[in-house]
Amino acid sequence: MKLSLVAKPSARAVVIYPVYSKEKPHDAAVAKFIQQLEKNKEFEAKSGQLFYKYDGISNLASKVIFVGMGEKKKLDYAAVLDAIASAVKSAKSHKEHTVCIIMDDELGKFGQAVGEAAVLANYNQARQWKTGKSAKTIQEQHIDVLEVTDVKKNSAAHHAIEKGILIAEVKNDLRDWINSPPNIANPEFFDQRAKEAAKASGAKLKILKNKELKKLGCGAILAVNRGSPDDARLIVMDYNPHGAKKDETVALVGKGIIFDSGGYNLKPSGHIEDMQLDKSGAATVIAFARLLKKLNIKRRVIITCAMTENLIGPLAQKPSEIIKSYSGKTIEVTNTDAEGRLVLADAIAYTIKEYKPKYLIDLATLTGACMVALGYRYAGLFGNDKELAEKIRKAGDEINEDLWPMPIHKEHHEQIKGTFADIQNTSTVRYAGASTAAAFLEEFVDKKTKWAHLDIAGPAFTQTPKKYETKGATGFGLRTLVRFMEELG
Ligand code: BES
Ligand code: MG
Ligand code: ZN
């Protein structure tokens, strides 16, 4: 989306005019009009409320959408995202390709949210696949130009809007990657995405496939891979263009299951259909890698993705198998559907051994249990370091991605002790499945590493989208990572 700073809206633009409750708009004609609407209780500038005026007002273009912002002093990031996205979504139906937002000083403080909202509202999950008339309609309703009034060139607001656009464009691509089914977004697809990301940020890239993984002893990811016709991958990016100190490294690890059928513990109908979502964690960290340079991140960042498919077939692993992980720990596979923790076990242990990061954060659509506990809205936030968890939670909170602290108790570790092997990949107890999964991951984290685990099973792929989302992939986590890394410095 192209950003254009304008003195007044161009003739064809659909104008989005934010209005605050109990606040007189600057434009005298608009103020008078709004006052009348308020009197008639037709429009009260409640947050997200829309009012359409398509016969011109003041010196603005003919199509104006007034959008309520609520009270000015209560304005926050979430309110801006919701309100602006609602207005832009509505503006799309006019097929004009240009929207113009009438900015003001208060909204200027939320420039990043404005840019993000405009681009995120543009997303259409069917765009890639529809043909014929539907394809044409989708194309006609695409916004190409975002005009903003009252923003000075090179001002803080200007840069913030641009940054919002940049992040949201990557986020929309990320949504496409996650929504794409396994016949399209296959392991090779992600090799390509990783190559592009590494190139964009000047990161070193390694793609370890079965031969190397065997040599390394990555028995856990290889066990999950056995049902798949494609090689597994550990995709590893090493970003350090500023020569940052190695003991300050941040590692980001993503679960990348191209499709999770459950394996021999096959998922039933009703649970298997959306399982292309199971690569969300890996896709998110690859998308983030694309932004590292543009965001001018100074730290060394390691990005590791554990990619493979969880399928059935004559070679696929069976429940009861005992495998040896990269760390040396043996695992009894009590359930082939608990595959995420297996691939992550090797990815985490390898990343720690090889790069000794100070912080390691993993993102994974790990458990249905986390969705049972927290729904679509919240990601579960686990780990071994309260301070790190709080930093991540706060970063998410600031940009409207919600994470909720969840416990790992030593009992959860007890519950995954193996009968035959060191550990087993499911708990002996039916409850607290998100915590026992996290406890399993912790078995592969050393005490020195500050570790956080984000179980994004709920928010990664939603049936209850926010105003700036659509059903399906949300791109959850990307903006939290951006904010977290910026605040970490
Ligand atoms: N990928 C799933 C978790 C999931 C479920 C993500 C629904 C998003 C929506 C994971 O691999 C899985 O199957 N977990 C099992 C673990 C169980 C066998 C202990 C689950 O949650 O049922
Ligand atoms: Mg599974
Ligand atoms: Zn899975």
Side-chain angles (χ1 to χ4, degrees):
M1 189 177 284
K2 194 174 155 283
L3 177 65
S4 178
L5 309 184
V6 297
K8 75 189 248 334
S10 62
R12 307 220 51 156
V14 178
V15 173
I16 293 174
Y17 203 122
V19 182
Y20 300 90
S21 63
K22 301 180 196 153
E23 194 83 33
K24 224 169 145 184
H26 286 312
D27 184 301
V30 170
K32 196 164 159 229
F33 180 70
I34 296 291
Q35 200 181 23
Q36 193 56 43
L37 291 179
E38 278 173 350
K39 220 163 124 195
N40 300 343
K41 295 220 177 330
E42 285 178 275
F43 177 75
E44 291 155 303
K46 282 190 195 139
S47 188
Q49 194 183 9
L50 301 179
F51 189 90
Y52 307 94
K53 180 154 176 54
Y54 295 157
D55 55 355
I57 187 162
S58 191
N59 65 346
L60 302 169
S62 61
K63 290 177 185 141
V64 180
I65 301 174
F66 293 107
V67 54
M69 305 300 287
E71 274 180 59
K72 201 174 221 174
K73 60 175 189 296
K74 287 193 188 151
L75 196 66
D76 63 13
Y77 209 95
V80 174
L81 278 175
D82 281 344
I84 298 296
S86 298
V88 172
K89 267 190 184 167
S90 173
K92 279 162 70 172
S93 62
H94 295 291
K95 308 179 178 179
E96 295 288 8
H97 304 293
T98 300
V99 292
C100 180
I101 300 176
I102 309 296
M103 293 289 288
D104 57 73
D105 288 350
E106 193 58 28
L107 200 51
K109 293 181 199 157
F110 295 93
Q112 188 179 328
V114 170
E116 283 175 4
V119 174
L120 295 174
N122 224 359
Y123 184 69
N124 184 310
Q125 71 270 57
R127 177 185 53 80
Q128 299 185 89
W129 324 116
K130 294 275 189 199
T131 65
K133 213 170 148 212
S134 318
K136 196 159 163 259
T137 310
I138 292 171
Q139 211 168 34
E140 282 170 351
Q141 298 198 354
H142 197 268
I143 306 289
D144 300 321
V145 182
L146 170 63
E147 295 179 350
V148 292
T149 67
D150 304 287
V151 173
K152 286 205 185 71
K153 198 169 161 56
N154 287 327
S155 61
H158 180 197
H159 290 306
I161 298 169
E162 265 187 342
K163 185 167 145 195
I165 292 174
L166 168 75
I167 295 168
E169 277 178 344
V170 172
K171 184 160 153 130
N172 281 351
D173 283 349
L174 169 61
R175 290 166 162 185
D176 272 348
W177 302 349
I178 296 170
N179 280 324
S180 294
N183 60 325
I184 293 153
N186 56 17
E188 230 166 84
F189 175 95
F190 284 102
D191 291 349
Q192 291 311 319
R193 303 292 81 78
K195 277 180 197 160
E196 289 161 10
K199 193 161 171 224
S201 289
K204 284 187 221 145
L205 171 69
K206 274 197 296 207
I207 301 180
L208 308 174
K209 296 197 194 170
N210 283 17
K211 207 172 133 203
E212 291 106 317
L213 294 172
K214 255 179 218 149
K215 247 192 247 161
L216 287 166
C218 291
I221 187 169
L222 284 168
V224 176
N225 175 253
R226 292 215 312 268
S228 169
D230 296 309
D231 273 18
R233 276 108 163 123
L234 275 186
I235 297 177
V236 188
M237 287 183 244
D238 181 351
Y239 167 88
N240 194 14
H242 303 282
K245 279 199 280 175
K246 298 211 163 155
D247 53 3
E248 293 286 323
T249 301
V250 178
L252 306 172
V253 179
K255 170 179 173 182
I257 298 295
I258 296 294
F259 190 84
D260 181 11
S261 74
Y264 275 105
N265 291 99
L266 193 62
K267 287 187 184 293
S269 294
H271 294 267
I272 198 169
E273 293 79 3
D274 291 333
M275 277 301 137
Q276 83 270 30
L277 68 80
D278 217 16
K279 57 192 180 307
S280 297
T284 305
V285 295
I286 294 174
F288 180 67
R290 229 167 89 183
L291 287 166
L292 285 166
K293 187 173 169 194
K294 286 206 174 121
L295 295 171
N296 200 17
I297 302 291
K298 294 281 195 293
R299 277 179 194 257
R300 184 185 196 198
V301 181
I302 304 297
I303 307 250
T304 309
C305 299
M307 315 285 319
T308 185
E309 249 180 322
N310 189 24
L311 301 178
I312 53 171
L315 303 176
Q317 64 172 344
K318 295 130 200 117
S320 82
E321 289 196 11
I322 293 176
I323 59 179
K324 190 167 186 143
S325 69
Y326 173 84
S327 75
K329 279 191 185 167
T330 55
I331 305 166
E332 182 181 347
V333 180
T334 40
N335 190 318
T336 60
D337 199 10
E339 84 300 335
R341 60 199 78 177
L342 295 177
V343 303
L344 286 171
D346 280 351
I348 289 171
Y350 175 81
T351 304
I352 291 177
K353 174 118 193 285
E354 212 48 30
Y355 299 100
K356 302 177 183 59
K358 178 168 184 182
Y359 302 105
L360 187 146
I361 302 168
D362 76 75
L363 283 83
T365 46
L366 202 64
T367 64
C370 201
M371 295 176 73
V372 172
L374 298 175
Y376 289 119
R377 179 92 204 183
Y378 286 88
L381 177 58
F382 303 81
N384 65 3
D385 188 82
K386 280 222 167 72
E387 225 175 285
L388 172 64
E390 178 50 24
K391 278 187 180 136
I392 297 170
R393 196 204 59 76
K394 182 171 158 281
D397 190 51
E398 285 166 6
I399 51 83
N400 203 32
E401 289 184 344
D402 296 307
L403 301 114
W404 198 257
M406 297 278 278
I408 306 175
H409 196 274
K410 61 178 187 300
E411 275 185 15
H412 297 132
H413 282 280
E414 288 296 319
Q415 291 161 7
I416 52 161
K417 283 232 164 89
T419 313
F420 303 114
D422 296 331
I423 48 176
Q424 57 187 44
N425 77 333
T426 56
S427 171
T428 51
V429 175
R430 184 190 326 190
Y431 302 107
S435 288
T436 47
F440 185 95
L441 297 183
E442 193 170 24
E443 295 285 333
F444 301 89
V445 179
D446 68 348
K447 295 267 178 318
K448 270 190 290 183
T449 312
K450 294 175 195 285
W451 163 69
H453 157 56
L454 280 51
D455 192 332
I456 59 171
F461 206 87
T462 186
Q463 294 302 324
T464 60
K466 296 170 186 154
K467 294 284 191 287
Y468 52 93
E469 292 172 344
T470 51
K471 279 191 184 178
T474 60
F476 182 97
L478 180 71
R479 294 183 309 117
T480 296
L481 287 180
V482 169
R483 188 51 73 103
F484 167 77
M485 287 300 294
E486 285 179 340
E487 290 181 346
L488 194 63

